[in-house]
Amino acid sequence: MAEKGDLDLTGAKLNRGLWLVKVPKYLSQQWGKATERGEVGKLKISKGQGKTEVSFVLSEELAGGGGVQGTSAKSTAINTPRDHVLALQGVAGQSLGVFTEGSSGKQTDATSGNVVYDKLFLEGVVVQRADCRPVVGESYMKMKRMQIEESSKPMRLSQQLEKAVTTNYKPVANHQYNIAFDRRKKEEGKRARADKQQVLDMLFSAFEKHQYYNIRDLVDITKQPVTYLKDILREIGIYNVKGTHKNTWELKPEYRHYQSDEKSD
């Protein structure tokens, strides 16, 4: 089995010369509609006044049948221009090649099942470059006119409705969860951290009245941020995770100022 990144130089050994041709977008789109072995057109190479002249004629089948069509419902299909000329360019001082990906064997990806391409093939060396350009004619002008009209259309259009839209959803200035979130953020912003000893005094004073508190009540009493308050509570208190007083805080035994028979408060 070939290692990943292997390069097959068969194309170089065959001394295969290739043309690199730039074609218009609409032409490549029409070629994509051809069947696997279908004819896309005919290429003609001739000599004229000592110069090589190359032309390409798109097949009638691909050019007809509404090759180019606008997005508007009222727009009509326009046949794709058939006649093209190739403006030849040299490749002097350039070394260009055409490579393709392939597989050295029947390898598939275990996850997707797709064929794994682990090898590069050199198909040949570029010996000629060219630009494929349409011959300006009636079909070409119609196509360009339609493209200009399509590009100038606004992205959004106003439309008059024949009847009122009935729906259970009504527009609101702001949703409830956004209002609640903004309120929490505003409250957190107002709570500036007080001196630790001052917070301890407020907590001890509160626990002298009751043995158990949930964190919400302690936040209301101390007006402190939740995270800051919990850090202090961990030093002096115990958080009950089960039992009758689940999810509440109480003081550690060494900080309690009440008798054991008062725990029923």
Side-chain angles (χ1 to χ4, degrees):
M1 182 175 66
E3 296 293 333
K4 187 173 183 179
D6 283 353
L7 178 61
D8 191 320
L9 298 175
T10 304
K13 296 177 182 178
L14 296 175
N15 195 25
R16 186 184 297 159
L18 302 176
W19 283 32
L20 180 62
V21 182
K22 182 179 179 181
V23 300
K25 183 178 180 180
Y26 70 86
L27 190 58
S28 65
Q29 290 174 341
Q30 295 304 104
W31 286 354
K33 298 177 183 179
T35 58
E36 185 175 351
R37 295 186 178 275
E39 180 183 306
V40 297
K42 293 183 179 180
L43 191 69
K44 181 181 178 182
I45 302 177
S46 59
K47 289 283 187 179
Q49 298 179 354
K51 295 177 61 177
T52 302
E53 296 179 354
V54 184
S55 62
F56 172 76
V57 180
L58 183 66
S59 69
E60 188 174 354
E61 180 183 358
L62 294 180
V68 182
Q69 189 169 6
T71 57
S72 173
K74 296 182 180 180
S75 62
T76 58
I78 296 176
N79 292 344
T80 305
R82 295 188 61 193
D83 298 322
H84 300 77
V85 295
L86 271 68
L88 303 181
Q89 302 176 13
V91 291
Q94 294 178 305
S95 297
L96 303 175
V98 178
F99 297 87
T100 56
E101 283 187 324
S103 177
S104 57
K106 294 183 177 180
Q107 303 177 63
T108 56
D109 186 85
T111 305
S112 62
N114 297 329
V115 177
V116 176
Y117 298 107
D118 61 350
K119 197 171 184 179
L120 286 176
F121 295 87
L122 176 62
E123 298 295 338
V125 178
V126 176
V127 296
Q128 182 69 61
R129 294 183 61 184
D131 283 339
C132 182
R133 300 169 183 173
V135 175
V136 178
E138 185 179 356
S139 297
Y140 176 75
M141 295 306 296
K142 286 182 178 180
M143 182 191 69
K144 293 303 294 182
R145 187 182 302 113
M146 187 195 69
Q147 290 177 344
I148 294 172
E149 290 175 354
E150 292 292 328
S151 63
S152 62
K153 288 181 180 178
M155 298 298 294
R156 297 179 180 179
L157 297 175
S158 60
Q159 183 179 0
Q160 184 175 355
L161 300 178
E162 296 180 358
K163 58 181 181 179
V165 177
T166 57
T167 178
N168 294 329
Y169 300 99
K170 295 182 179 180
V172 294
N174 203 353
H175 293 283
Q176 288 299 324
Y177 58 83
N178 287 335
I179 296 174
F181 177 78
D182 292 339
R183 184 169 56 249
R184 287 198 305 270
K185 293 294 290 183
K186 189 178 295 184
E187 290 175 354
E188 287 289 337
K190 290 180 180 178
R191 293 176 186 149
R193 291 191 176 189
D195 181 72
K196 182 178 179 181
Q197 187 58 50
Q198 184 180 350
V199 179
L200 287 171
D201 292 340
M202 288 188 287
L203 289 174
F204 285 132
S205 176
F207 279 110
E208 286 179 358
K209 300 175 183 177
H210 299 283
Q211 182 177 354
Y212 303 100
Y213 285 95
N214 60 43
I215 190 64
R216 192 184 307 110
D217 292 335
L218 292 175
V219 168
D220 291 339
I221 294 171
T222 61
K223 307 299 182 186
Q224 295 299 301
V226 176
T227 53
Y228 178 56
L229 185 60
K230 284 184 177 180
D231 289 340
I232 298 176
L233 282 170
R234 291 189 187 99
E235 297 180 12
I236 64 170
I238 300 172
Y239 184 69
N240 297 302
V241 295
K242 59 182 179 178
T244 307
H245 303 287
K246 183 179 180 181
N247 299 331
T248 61
W249 288 87
E250 66 174 322
L251 290 176
K252 293 180 179 179
E254 58 267 32
Y255 295 109
R256 294 173 186 170
H257 300 284
Y258 44 80
Q259 300 297 324
S260 58
D261 56 352
E262 296 178 350
K263 290 185 179 180
S264 59
D265 286 348

